[in-house]
């Protein structure tokens, strides 16, 4: 078994970009402490690479040629694609793991027709997690994308199948792999409703996720998600894929709807590898 | 309308430093490569965040574009609300306004 860690965390750009505007700095620092705890847990597993299942935001993949799923195979990546002063994360190169990526892609393709890419500019969706989880940028990263931006989107059961395929691929290689899914739950980001949060919906979704209740997780329609959780809610695909990769129940380590300036209820959780 | 072309322009601008330089030096030249209505081209030339939002531009690429223009976060939110007031509801896409236009963050209301 070479999947050594699986978890999820939030990636909203405000977490770094608007950190200086936050009034409840104790709550913000509490969130940061949970990211740091997640970093320590990942480090303790001694990973050779970090797979980040993300939902990018039209930074690399556009409607001219949109893959449902994509896995990075580059030697290095660059990010953030946004104005570094806006995101408050310095632009840099991030090491990849091209040989490992190729072996993972080959195995994933046994069951899921994933796209792959040797060019990838990370946006906040990956840079914010890396800022907290690999602050020295010394752990090779393999980016994975699920299209959550431009409908038609992959059905949730395919996000689950993609997660299972990633797990099988991780288990087929000798390297020790940590995996995180990163997305939002209910949120209306980049609209005038930025900061709107449906806490009841979030808690119900996270309950289904932590119980690894496959049927309940896959029962949402996109219409329901859009109505109750906003266009940002489509990003639950990343959490669902991470849960499917883990195969075990999760522990919700942190959830707070009390930092709406970050445009989402920030979340940290870890799954059992089963 | 040509929302695809409009968003393609912003997608390219957001990730291509050469396009960013041309946008500042020769916007008409850059815009001429896209099939846009006069309203769309004008919104891009003027950096009209409110109109672009109403036209249905994906909020994520619009947010990056606003950052590129140096627009502060709360001003960005206000510009979208002003767009709704001036031009009516969002005409296309999934980035519609679903609240009443009020702020959800104390940091904004108390600034």
């Amino acid at each position: 078994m070479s999947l050594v860690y699986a978890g999820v965390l939030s990636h909203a750009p405000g977490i770094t970009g608007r950190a200086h505007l936050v009034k409840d700095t104790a709550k913000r620092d509490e969130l940061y402490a949970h990211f740091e705890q997640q970093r320590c847990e990942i480090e303790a597993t001694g990973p050779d690479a970090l797979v980040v299942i993300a939902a990018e935001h039209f930074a690399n993949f556009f409607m001219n040629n949109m893959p449902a799923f994509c896995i990075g195979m580059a030697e290095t990546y660059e990010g953030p694609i946004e104005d570094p002063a806006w995101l408050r994360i310095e632009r840099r190169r991030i090491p990849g793991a091209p040989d490992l990526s190729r072996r993972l892609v080959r195995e994933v393709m046994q069951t899921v027709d994933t796209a792959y890419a040797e060019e990838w500019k990370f946006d906040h969706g990956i840079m914010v997690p890396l800022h907290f989880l690999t602050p020295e940028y010394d752990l090779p990263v393999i980016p994975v994308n699920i299209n959550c931006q431009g409908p038609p989107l992959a059905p949730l059961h395919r996000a689950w199948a993609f997660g299972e395929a990633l797990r099988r691929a991780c288990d087929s290689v000798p390297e020790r792999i940590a995996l995180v899914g990163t997305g939002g739950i209910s949120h209306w980001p980049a609209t005038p409703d930025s900061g709107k949060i449906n806490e009841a919906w979030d808690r119900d979704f996270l309950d289904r996720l932590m119980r690894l209740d496959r049927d309940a997780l896959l029962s949402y329609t996109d219409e329901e998600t859009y109505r109750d959780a906003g266009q940002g809610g489509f990003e639950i695909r990343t959490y669902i894929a991470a849960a499917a990769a883990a195969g075990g129940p999760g522990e919700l380590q942190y959830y707070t709807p009390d930092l709406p300036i970050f445009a989402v209820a920030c979340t940290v959780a870890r799954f059992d590898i089963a | 309308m040509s929302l695809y072309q409009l968003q393609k322009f912003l997608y390219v601008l957001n990730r291509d430093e050469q396009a960013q330089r041309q946008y500042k030096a020769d916007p008409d030249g850059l815009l001429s490569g896209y099939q846009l209505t006069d309203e769309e081209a004008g919104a891009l030339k003027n950096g009209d965040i409110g109109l672009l939002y109403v036209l249905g531009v994906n909020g994520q690429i619009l947010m990056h574009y606003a950052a590129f223009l140096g627009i502060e976060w709360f001003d960005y939110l206000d510009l979208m609300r002003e767009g709704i007031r001036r031009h009516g509801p969002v005409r296309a896409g999934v980035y519609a306004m679903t609240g009443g236009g009020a702020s959800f963050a104390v940091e904004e209301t108390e600034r």
Side-chain angles (χ1 to χ4, degrees):
Chain A
M1 180 181 293
S2 68
L3 183 67
V4 295
Y5 177 91
V8 294
L9 76 163
S10 305
H11 69 224
I15 293 172
T16 55
R18 296 193 287 282
H20 61 297
L21 299 176
V22 173
K23 287 197 186 297
D24 189 348
T25 53
K27 182 62 74 175
R28 177 198 66 193
D29 293 345
E30 187 178 87
L31 168 66
Y32 289 175
H34 282 84
F35 286 148
E36 172 63 11
Q37 182 189 339
Q38 189 173 42
R39 185 193 72 76
C40 292
E41 288 178 7
I42 291 171
E43 186 178 68
T45 65
D48 297 306
L50 177 65
V51 170
V52 183
I53 304 176
E56 72 133 41
H57 314 86
F58 284 157
N60 299 273
F61 310 111
F62 191 64
M63 300 304 281
N64 57 340
N65 188 7
M66 176 61 81
F69 307 110
C70 190
I71 299 175
M73 299 198 309
E75 298 221 3
T76 63
Y77 303 92
E78 184 185 283
I81 192 170
E82 299 96 337
D83 179 359
W86 177 81
L87 191 59
R88 296 183 179 243
I89 296 177
E90 192 181 327
R91 191 166 287 155
R92 66 187 74 238
R93 288 210 161 270
I94 297 101
D99 178 66
L100 175 59
S101 286
R102 282 173 187 276
R103 284 179 280 131
L104 294 179
V105 168
R106 268 207 302 270
E107 184 58 35
V108 166
M109 289 176 80
Q110 293 295 329
T111 52
V112 176
D113 301 322
T114 184
Y116 38 87
E118 294 196 38
E119 287 186 39
W120 198 313
K121 293 183 178 182
F122 292 171
D123 72 7
H124 66 266
I126 291 181
M127 291 307 290
V128 171
L130 295 185
H131 175 78
F132 291 101
L133 299 182
T134 68
E136 303 300 322
Y137 298 89
D138 51 358
L139 181 62
V141 171
I142 297 175
V144 173
N145 195 65
I146 301 176
N147 170 29
C148 302
Q149 280 300 313
L153 308 176
L156 298 184
H157 69 87
R158 294 303 291 163
W160 181 278
F162 185 51
E164 288 185 325
L166 281 166
R167 169 60 181 276
R168 202 184 52 252
C170 290
D171 287 349
S172 75
V173 298
E175 286 89 346
R176 299 173 63 81
I177 297 172
L179 177 151
V180 291
T182 177
I185 27 184
S186 74
H187 63 314
W188 288 257
T191 75
D193 305 317
S194 175
K196 181 177 167 185
I197 289 163
N198 184 343
E199 182 177 349
W201 190 92
D202 284 353
R203 292 195 182 276
D204 179 53
F205 170 76
L206 291 169
D207 178 62
R208 300 179 196 201
L209 191 73
M210 295 300 104
R211 288 187 286 109
L212 201 75
D213 187 337
R214 180 183 184 279
D215 290 343
L217 281 170
L218 304 189
S219 68
Y220 297 99
T221 66
D222 280 351
E223 290 74 19
E224 290 167 345
T225 300
Y226 182 76
R227 181 192 67 207
D228 299 330
Q231 80 282 349
F234 294 147
E235 294 181 352
I236 58 173
R237 285 166 173 76
T238 64
Y239 282 25
I240 288 172
E251 179 190 343
L252 182 61
Q253 296 165 290
Y254 194 66
Y255 171 86
T256 180
D258 298 332
L259 291 165
I261 189 171
F262 291 166
V264 71
C266 293
T267 306
V268 177
R270 175 191 59 231
F271 297 104
D272 291 343
I273 311 282
Chain B
M1 65 186 293
S2 37
L3 182 57
Y4 175 79
Q5 291 282 318
L6 181 61
Q7 298 195 97
K8 180 74 184 287
F9 178 94
L10 290 171
Y11 163 76
V12 170
L13 184 68
N14 283 344
R15 55 181 279 113
D16 183 343
E17 290 180 5
Q18 189 179 338
Q20 290 167 8
R21 285 191 292 273
Q22 191 181 358
Y23 177 84
K24 288 176 175 165
D26 174 25
D28 289 329
L30 191 61
L31 286 163
S32 68
Y34 298 81
Q35 296 162 315
L36 300 165
T37 66
D38 290 346
E39 185 181 44
E40 291 163 342
L44 289 171
K45 200 170 169 180
N46 299 324
D48 189 337
I49 297 294
L51 180 53
L52 291 168
Y53 176 65
V54 168
L55 289 172
V57 170
N58 175 287
Q60 296 288 340
I61 45 179
L62 188 62
M63 177 175 73
H64 294 192
Y65 175 60
F68 165 70
L69 295 178
I71 296 170
E72 297 294 334
W73 177 250
F74 295 133
D75 294 336
Y76 165 66
L77 300 181
D78 270 346
L79 287 167
M80 287 188 287
R81 294 181 190 122
E82 179 60 23
I84 296 280
R85 279 193 290 271
R86 278 170 42 216
H87 304 290
V90 174
R91 299 175 197 169
V94 299
Y95 275 73
M97 188 164 83
T98 61
S103 171
F104 289 89
V106 64
E107 288 83 354
E108 183 179 14
T109 52
E110 294 184 1
R111 79 184 145 138

